[in-house]
């Protein structure tokens, strides 16, 4: 009846009282925020709520709901990749990357998902999902769900949903898939140079342009002998992107002068940080050399 007395009590699993409400008639809107009667936050753990009533005739009813879990831990995640660039071309260099997942806490997870997203946010690859704790490491070979390799920049996204409602979402951006070698262009001027110290076309200007989606690791330029076993005549090399322009005086690394009216083969090679390599070849033409001797 409207005069029945009711009591709702929250206790720990040992029966110790935490919070209580009493009323008559229709029940009020009971909300519990995880504190005790003094306003202190209760410890993490399991609790029970018991609702009881006794009518005027002495009839009593009791209903219990348990466990009610209190978990005030703040979930945290550490999501990293062993490499931000992949070159899955089977050469054994940067063919895969490994994602490491560290969660705290590891329990109480309702679901998780690890995806690779394309530039427009579309799902390129689903690496894993489930209703339990995710593995500590997940391998990616650079391929999409169809087994294809499409070069570009991608984002790895980890999503974790806890049963208590907390959501973790972390992303690793700018993950590059690159299986192409650097694009190289090479030109010289003048077309024929004559390092005979007469003040005209004594030096050769060599222009090198190297472009790649990945940073350039190393590069080199080699000029070889025009005949026979084509031994190395002149070589320059460097790390990172080469300068746009280099000047050559026509002498070898040992100080020998080029032969007159001869074409020298040249090769420019570049390697990016993922191990992708490319090269181009060309010819350096030497004009007739007029060397002054005495009068």
């Amino acid at each position: 009846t409207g005069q029945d007395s009711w009591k709702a009590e929250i206790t720990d699993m040992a029966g110790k009282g935490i919070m209580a409400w009493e009323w008559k008639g229709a029940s009020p809107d009971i909300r519990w925020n995880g504190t005790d009667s003094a306003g202190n936050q209760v410890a993490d753990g399991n609790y029970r709520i018991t609702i009881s009533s006794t009518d005027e005739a002495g009839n009593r009813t009791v209903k219990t709901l348990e466990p009610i879990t209190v978990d005030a831990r703040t979930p945290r995640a550490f999501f990293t990749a062993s490499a931000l660039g992949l070159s899955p071309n089977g050469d054994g260099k940067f063919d895969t990357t490994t994602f490491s997942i560290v969660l705290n806490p590891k329990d109480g997870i309702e679901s998780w998902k690890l995806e690779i997203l394309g530039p427009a946010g579309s799902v390129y690859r689903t690496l894993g999902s489930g209703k339990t704790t995710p593995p500590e490491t997940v391998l990616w070979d650079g391929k999409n769900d169809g087994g294809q390799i499409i070069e570009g920049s991608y984002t790895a996204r980890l999503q974790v949903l806890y049963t208590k409602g907390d959501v973790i979402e972390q992303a690793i951006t700018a993950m590059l898939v690159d299986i192409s070698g650097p694009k190289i262009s090479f030109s010289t001027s003048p077309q024929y140079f004559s390092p005979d110290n007469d003040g005209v076309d004594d030096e050769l200007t060599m222009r090198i342009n190297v472009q790649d989606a990945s940073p350039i690791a190393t590069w080199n330029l080699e000029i070889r002998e025009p005949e026979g076993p084509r031994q190395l005549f002149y070589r320059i090399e460097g790390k990172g992107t080469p300068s746009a322009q280099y000047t050559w005086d026509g002498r070898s690394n040992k100080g020998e002068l080029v032969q007159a009216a001869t074409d020298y083969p040249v090769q420019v090679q570049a390697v990016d940080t993922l191990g992708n390599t490319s090269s181009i070849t060309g010819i350096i033409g030497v004009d007739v050399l007029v060397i002054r001797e005495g009068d």
Side-chain angles (χ1 to χ4, degrees):
T1 67
Q3 297 302 313
D4 290 344
S5 297
W6 292 85
K7 182 178 181 181
E9 185 178 20
I10 293 178
T11 64
D12 61 19
M13 300 307 288
K16 179 182 178 181
I18 303 297
M19 180 74 79
W21 297 265
E22 294 184 5
W23 70 93
K24 287 186 177 183
S27 65
D29 186 10
I30 298 177
R31 294 177 180 271
W32 184 45
N33 62 359
T35 60
D36 60 18
S37 57
N40 301 312
Q41 179 71 42
V42 299
D44 290 350
N46 293 327
Y47 298 82
R48 67 165 61 97
I49 180 170
T50 301
I51 299 178
S52 60
S53 177
T54 303
D55 62 18
E56 295 178 354
N59 300 307
R60 178 176 172 80
T61 184
V62 178
K63 295 294 183 181
T64 299
L65 177 64
E66 64 178 59
I68 299 173
T69 302
V70 174
D71 186 356
R73 295 174 296 176
T74 300
R76 301 179 183 277
F78 298 92
F79 181 44
T80 59
S82 61
L84 296 180
L86 291 89
S87 177
N89 53 14
D91 64 355
K93 301 177 181 178
F94 300 97
D95 287 331
T96 62
T97 188
T98 301
F99 295 105
S100 296
I101 304 172
V102 178
L103 297 177
N104 186 22
K106 295 182 178 180
D107 59 306
I109 294 175
E110 181 175 314
S111 64
W112 69 276
K113 183 185 296 184
L114 176 54
E115 297 174 316
I116 305 297
L117 307 180
S122 59
V123 178
Y124 178 79
R125 177 79 176 271
T126 299
L127 291 176
S129 62
K131 299 292 184 180
T132 58
T133 302
E136 294 182 355
T137 58
V138 178
L139 189 72
W140 182 37
D141 58 4
K143 298 178 181 179
N144 64 9
D145 284 325
Q148 300 172 309
I149 297 174
I150 302 175
E151 294 182 301
S153 182
Y154 297 91
T155 296
R157 182 180 66 185
L158 173 67
Q159 293 177 315
V160 181
L161 174 63
Y162 283 83
T163 305
K164 61 179 183 173
D166 290 300
V167 178
I168 288 179
E169 182 170 315
Q170 291 195 5
I172 302 174
T173 60
M175 298 202 63
L176 187 64
V177 175
D178 179 14
I179 58 175
S180 300
K183 295 181 180 179
I184 306 172
S185 63
F186 175 72
S187 63
T188 61
S189 63
Q191 183 178 3
Y192 296 97
F193 84 120
S194 55
D196 51 14
N197 201 29
D198 65 353
V200 180
D201 296 335
D202 287 328
E203 294 182 333
L204 181 72
T205 298
M206 300 181 291
R207 298 178 180 86
I208 304 174
N209 183 268
V210 179
Q211 296 183 346
D212 194 72
S214 305
I216 302 301
T218 61
W219 66 274
N220 66 75
L221 179 148
E222 293 184 344
I223 301 172
R224 295 192 170 271
E225 296 280 4
E227 299 174 351
R230 298 192 179 253
Q231 294 181 345
L232 183 63
F233 185 77
Y234 179 75
R235 175 186 171 95
I236 55 174
E237 62 184 1
K239 296 181 179 180
T241 303
S243 299
Q245 183 172 299
Y246 294 87
T247 301
W248 185 40
D249 61 1
R251 294 189 177 274
S252 72
N253 294 122
K254 297 179 180 179
E256 302 167 335
L257 188 63
V258 293
Q259 300 177 35
T262 305
D263 290 337
Y264 282 76
V266 59
Q267 175 180 278
V268 180
Q269 183 182 69
V271 183
D272 65 22
T273 53
L274 298 180
N276 299 309
T277 304
S278 60
S279 63
I280 61 170
T281 59
I283 295 293
I284 292 177
V286 180
D287 206 345
V288 174
L289 303 183
V290 180
I291 308 295
R292 181 184 179 92
E293 294 185 3
D295 293 331

